[in-house]
Amino acid sequence: MAPSDDLADHVPPGQAPSMKQVIEGLHARGIRTGLGAFNPPGTRPPLIGLAVPEDFALPPGYVRHHQATDDGQRIEAILMFAPDFRLFDAQGREIPLPADRVVPPELAPPGLPLRRITLPPPRQGE
């Protein structure tokens, strides 16, 4: 019989596991649907980078990356390089890009205010 993705079948009555415990328990049972389709909270921390205002016109090769905290709060968009973008210096040599594609201040497009995002504090009581 296939494992059930009904949460009531996996949490004993009277217990109140954290969402991380629930998702890890579902994954341990091979369940990847419903809540099991998500990664446990805290397993993929948000990327920290330069804030990019919504009204800032991005040149080719740059993208806005939108994220949310584990508790669902929106985080300011950060500036990243597009997946297929290549950057060259004045002599035509390719400039290596960061593996995570987050744009460092020295490679930001002209005119972008250089300000790093800050993460909102976790919501209390949720």
Side-chain angles (χ1 to χ4, degrees), residues 2-126:
S4 166
D5 62 0
D6 185 341
L7 187 56
D9 293 340
H10 301 281
V11 178
Q15 288 191 1
S18 69
M19 188 54 63
K20 181 176 182 175
Q21 292 169 320
V22 168
I23 293 172
E24 287 173 344
L26 293 171
H27 288 179
R29 292 173 180 85
I31 299 168
R32 297 288 175 166
T33 59
L35 288 175
F38 296 94
N39 287 324
T43 57
R44 189 171 176 212
L47 297 171
I48 304 297
L50 297 174
V52 57
E54 290 298 324
D55 62 349
F56 184 81
L58 294 177
Y62 294 89
V63 296
R64 283 178 181 80
H65 178 65
H66 296 272
Q67 308 174 93
T69 62
D70 285 337
D71 61 8
Q73 297 179 75
R74 292 184 67 146
I75 300 172
E76 276 185 282
I78 65 168
L79 187 64
M80 293 185 72
F81 292 110
D84 57 349
F85 183 64
R86 295 171 63 197
L87 189 63
F88 298 90
D89 67 16
Q91 288 75 39
R93 296 177 297 220
E94 188 167 359
I95 298 171
L97 301 180
D100 63 6
R101 297 185 3 255
V102 175
V103 177
E106 64 273 13
L107 297 179
L112 177 74
L114 301 181
R115 182 180 61 80
R116 290 174 57 88
I117 66 162
T118 57
L119 299 179
R123 291 181 178 160
Q124 298 299 316
E126 293 186 25

